[in-house]
Amino acid sequence: MVTSTFLVPRVESLSSSGIQSIPKEYIRPQEELTSIGNVFEEEKKNEGPQVPTIDLEGIESEDNVVREKCREELVKAAKEWGVMHLVNHGIPDDLIDRVKKAGQAFFDLPIEEKEKYANDQASGNVQGYGSKLANNASGQLEWEDYFFHLIFPEDKRDNSVWPKTPSDYTEVTSEYSRLLRSLATKVLSVLSTGLGLEEGRLEKEVGGLEELLLQMKINYYPKCPQPELALGVEAHTDISALTFILHNMVPGLQLFYEGKWITAKCVPNSIIMHIGDTVEILSNGKYKSILHRGLVNKEKVRISWAVFCEPPKEKIILKPLAETVTEAEPPLFPPRTFAQHIEHKLFRKTQDSLLPGKAG
């Protein structure tokens, strides 16, 4: 277990305190507020573009036509959207239910129990139970608490930070991480061939079985008395290679597509998958890392389980692969390590929040 050196106010405490108005640190800048609507109404909208649903049943079919059709659809969604609902993904529904029940059971514990697992961001100890600290110039906070830990490879885990309650947390999360890791391999091989590369190439470029890290972040979005003023998570793109997301069937995810915020539907038994910056860079922008954010609501707690598949911080130089670059399509991204990419994004965000009229 980890213990924090100082107590961070938890959003769950704020939510359950009965406040009618949220503290000013959680109120979004004026230019953002105009686009924040009621998430339940937004989810019902059927007009306009919708996040694609990709059926993976045929991904390894013996039938060439079936297999190629499935692969083409995945590649098309990765190029046009960079996000999709995956169905028939091969991870048993009952295991996914157990993963969700385990995470929910942890967050159902009293806050003082969860505090035993508190992280300490100031000392760089990011694994454990946490809430966002105001680390940007605008001092902006998000309406969420979370639990963050590395879940794969097994030899890189720190089991001391894993929840002891519920008792099956480690067993179900470990099994899920193994199956998700093999799903990541399947997806990366399809994305490789979609760029005209050998099947194993992208996986190798992001660290392979030994070095690609799977980091799980359970996001807990408590009920918010003024959801039209806040965000559960602010607009961002993922730094990962791929991100896989489960949720408790409460809407909240929005994608910025063709100049508008689109609300993702809740698709039963699906896993949401994002293309992250890492794959966008390697593909020289052919695959998209889409801007997205999370809305909150008054009526229902939303929980999501995001697993970020990340390359090692220093060992690999991320840059557009030579095969994706031509005279007509020069490299869109300079060479950087994963750590440098993170720094670059933080720096840019800080610069943005210092500009007049810009949100951080």
Side-chain angles (χ1 to χ4, degrees), residues 71 75 78-79 187-199 201-203 205 278-288 320-325 329:
R71 292 176 170 223
V75 166
K79 287 180 174 176
V187 169
L188 287 167
S189 75
V190 173
L191 295 176
S192 280
T193 55
L195 294 170
L197 306 169
E198 290 168 23
E199 277 204 348
R201 180 69 182 283
L202 273 181
E203 170 133 9
E205 296 289 347
T278 297
V279 163
E280 181 177 65
I281 291 166
L282 291 169
S283 72
N284 201 27
K286 290 177 177 61
Y287 296 133
K288 302 288 181 286
L321 299 175
E323 295 89 338
T324 67
V325 174
E329 295 174 309

Side-chain angles (χ1 to χ4, degrees), residues 40 57 88 99 139 196 231 244 299 336 352 354:
F40 298 111
E57 195 165 21
N88 292 317
V99 169
L231 286 174
F244 295 95
E299 291 101 70
R336 289 190 181 105
D352 277 358
L354 293 171

Side-chain angles (χ1 to χ4, degrees), residues 122-133:
S123 65
N125 182 7
V126 294
Q127 293 198 78
Y129 174 58
S131 308
K132 184 175 175 184
L133 302 178

Side-chain angles (χ1 to χ4, degrees), residues 237-284:
T237 61
D238 288 354
I239 54 177
S240 58
L242 301 171
T243 305
F244 295 95
I245 303 170
L246 304 174
H247 55 80
N248 65 339
M249 295 298 284
V250 175
L253 175 64
Q254 289 195 317
L255 302 308
F256 197 65
Y257 183 75
E258 294 183 344
K260 288 196 180 80
W261 286 107
I262 310 289
T263 304
K265 303 267 189 253
C266 291
V267 177
N269 303 322
S270 69
I271 298 177
I272 295 168
M273 185 184 80
H274 283 276
I275 302 293
D277 298 348
T278 297
V279 163
E280 181 177 65
I281 291 166
L282 291 169
S283 72
N284 201 27

Side-chain angles (χ1 to χ4, degrees), residues 296-311:
V296 289
N297 73 82
K298 270 185 186 174
E299 291 101 70
K300 294 179 178 177
V301 169
R302 180 168 185 263
I303 309 176
S304 69
W305 289 255
V307 175
F308 304 98
C309 304
E310 298 182 351

Side-chain angles (χ1 to χ4, degrees), residues 36-49:
I36 299 176
N38 179 306
V39 71
F40 298 111
E41 287 167 19
E42 297 287 336
E43 196 214 4
K44 289 189 191 118
K45 291 182 180 170
N46 287 316
E47 71 276 8

